[in-house]
Amino acid sequence: MSTHLIGNYKRLDIAFTHGEGAWLFGADGRRYLDALCGIGVTNLGHNHPGVTAAIQAQAGKLLHCSNIYQIDLQAKLADRLCELTHMDAALFVNSGAEANEAAIKLARKFGHDRGINAPQIIVMEGAFHGRTLGALAATASTTAQSGFGPLPEGFLRVPYGDADAVAQLSNTDNVVAVHVEPVQGEGGVNIPPAGYLRALRKICNENGWLLMLDEVQSGIGRTGKWLACQHENITPDVVCLAKGLGNGMPVAALLTHGPAAQVFTPGTHGSTFGGNPLACAAALAVLENIDANDLLTAAGKIGAQLIAGLQSRLGALAGVREIRGLGLMLAVELDRPCGELVQQALDKGLLINVTAGNVVRLLPPLTLTESEAGLLLDGLCPLIENFLKEEA
């Protein structure tokens, strides 16, 4: 391990040499079932042949040219994303945090264009939007924010899943947007009540606000739809995408609809690397292969299998608060901190994550097979059962 890396990551003592589908192979010679996907990134699994071929082919042609010029692959990716999501326009950046920063900037510019000099954005308790300063201010984690003040102002926070709390701010001066995750990922895979997003859409329409959805983790098929908001058949004004869009290539997108698509004009926002040919080639291959292999349906089917298995084997245990999920965005919430399960699972050849302190989060690839789902259950359920017995 290098002594020259800045120590901002608490890394597990394992390094991987290669991957294949749902499996990673360690430098220790063992293989590991990856139920985390680099935190929801490798939706097509590791070393996907279609994505690999697209990257290899484009690497032999052109890696990068500035957004000063036309980029054909970027235009094709924008067209395809808008076709799949029913949005109007796309702007490409490099990460989820950058997409959220762009959304915040867009909302503020939207307000300024309407004579609002101190625009405010409604955000949620439990939210996570990234670690750059604007995204961090919109994030609800005081731990993540600690030591980085003063943070940008202009955010009003309300309980997640409570549309009435948003509606109560209808008479608040200077509100321009609602920024929300359709499913909160880092906050604990929190799924709002049915109709929540539809209610937010109605409130935003009535007040002339933008509805901005952070689908960095929930988008690109993760929940069984291209966007999680499509489960409620709504069209937002702004969508942030990243993670699964490139299957490991750094690429992110800000999608816009209606008046929001006209806010940014030349010089108002930009990115040196955003939408370069290599990243766009990878993203186009991701979209093509998800579609060609009907992986949206597969995500719903395998997700239901995992939820049923978790409920059957863990649901009645004392110490299990809730088992929840949408597609392949899954969680087992316990009544106590359970971070040590990550190392225990690693020791058993299984990669999982614990978020919000007491929530086991599962984000397996959309390509996960029924038999691999069974292996995941066989590996995880005894670990949780034994943990609860030992910690009783």
Side-chain angles (χ1 to χ4, degrees), residues 14-35 37-38 42 44-52 56 247 351 365 367 372:
I14 181 68
F16 301 106
T17 59
H18 61 288
E20 191 72 32
W23 299 89
L24 280 169
F25 296 82
D28 58 1
R30 298 177 62 197
R31 74 171 189 166
Y32 296 80
L33 181 59
D34 187 0
C37 279
T42 53
L44 288 173
H46 300 285
N47 195 23
H48 187 278
V51 178
T52 299
Q56 289 173 334
N247 211 60
L351 306 182
T367 55
E372 288 167 341

Side-chain angles (χ1 to χ4, degrees), residues 78-167:
D79 289 347
R80 186 63 176 134
L81 280 172
C82 289
E83 178 186 3
L84 295 171
T85 63
H86 309 297
M87 302 294 280
D88 291 336
L91 179 149
F92 295 101
V93 289
N94 309 286
S95 69
E98 288 180 67
N100 277 289
E101 286 283 345
I104 292 165
K105 286 183 65 178
L106 187 149
R108 289 188 170 191
K109 180 94 170 39
F110 176 81
H112 279 274
D113 289 347
R114 285 154 180 74
I116 299 172
N117 293 323
Q120 299 198 82
I121 300 170
I122 298 171
V123 294
M124 306 300 152
E125 294 176 3
F128 187 90
H129 299 293
R131 294 180 183 270
T132 50
L133 282 178
L136 188 59
T139 290
S141 170
T142 55
T143 300
Q145 293 173 342
S146 179
F148 298 106
L151 295 174
E153 299 178 345
F155 299 93
L156 302 172
R157 199 170 303 280
V158 299
Y160 182 66
D162 186 348
D164 289 339
V166 176

Side-chain angles (χ1 to χ4, degrees), residues 95-314:
S95 69
E98 288 180 67
N100 277 289
E101 286 283 345
I104 292 165
K105 286 183 65 178
L106 187 149
R108 289 188 170 191
K109 180 94 170 39
F110 176 81
H112 279 274
D113 289 347
R114 285 154 180 74
I116 299 172
N117 293 323
Q120 299 198 82
I121 300 170
I122 298 171
V123 294
M124 306 300 152
E125 294 176 3
F128 187 90
H129 299 293
R131 294 180 183 270
T132 50
L133 282 178
L136 188 59
T139 290
S141 170
T142 55
T143 300
Q145 293 173 342
S146 179
F148 298 106
L151 295 174
E153 299 178 345
F155 299 93
L156 302 172
R157 199 170 303 280
V158 299
Y160 182 66
D162 186 348
D164 289 339
V166 176
Q168 289 171 11
L169 296 176
S170 293
N171 295 321
T172 303
D173 291 339
N174 299 338
V175 172
V176 296
V178 175
H179 195 31
V180 60
E181 298 157 275
V183 179
Q184 288 187 334
E186 300 299 318
V189 191
N190 300 315
I191 301 169
Y196 175 62
L197 295 179
R198 286 196 301 274
L200 293 184
R201 178 69 281 176
K202 181 173 184 291
I203 294 165
C204 288
N205 288 346
E206 292 171 348
N207 288 279
W209 301 341
L210 299 178
L211 178 58
M212 309 198 304
L213 301 185
D214 179 348
E215 296 241 20
V216 167
Q217 193 167 137
S218 61
I220 314 297
R222 172 57 50 189
T223 70
K225 301 281 188 180
W226 288 109
L227 300 178
C229 68
Q230 291 175 331
H231 289 283
E232 294 207 359
N233 296 313
I234 66 157
T235 301
D237 300 292
V238 176
V239 174
C240 300
L241 295 174
K243 289 192 181 289
L245 181 57
N247 211 60
M249 282 295 297
V251 58
L254 182 79
L255 306 183
T256 55
H257 181 267
Q262 309 303 319
V263 173
F264 283 153
T265 55
T268 53
H269 194 66
S271 168
T272 295
F273 296 107
N276 70 58
L278 185 65
C280 289
L284 282 164
V286 167
L287 300 181
E288 177 185 347
N289 281 279
I290 290 175
D291 194 28
N293 294 286
D294 197 17
L295 294 182
L296 302 184
T297 300
K301 178 182 177 182
I302 300 298
Q305 176 188 343
L306 287 171
I307 285 287
L310 291 168
Q311 289 283 10
S312 173
R313 298 170 70 164
L314 299 175

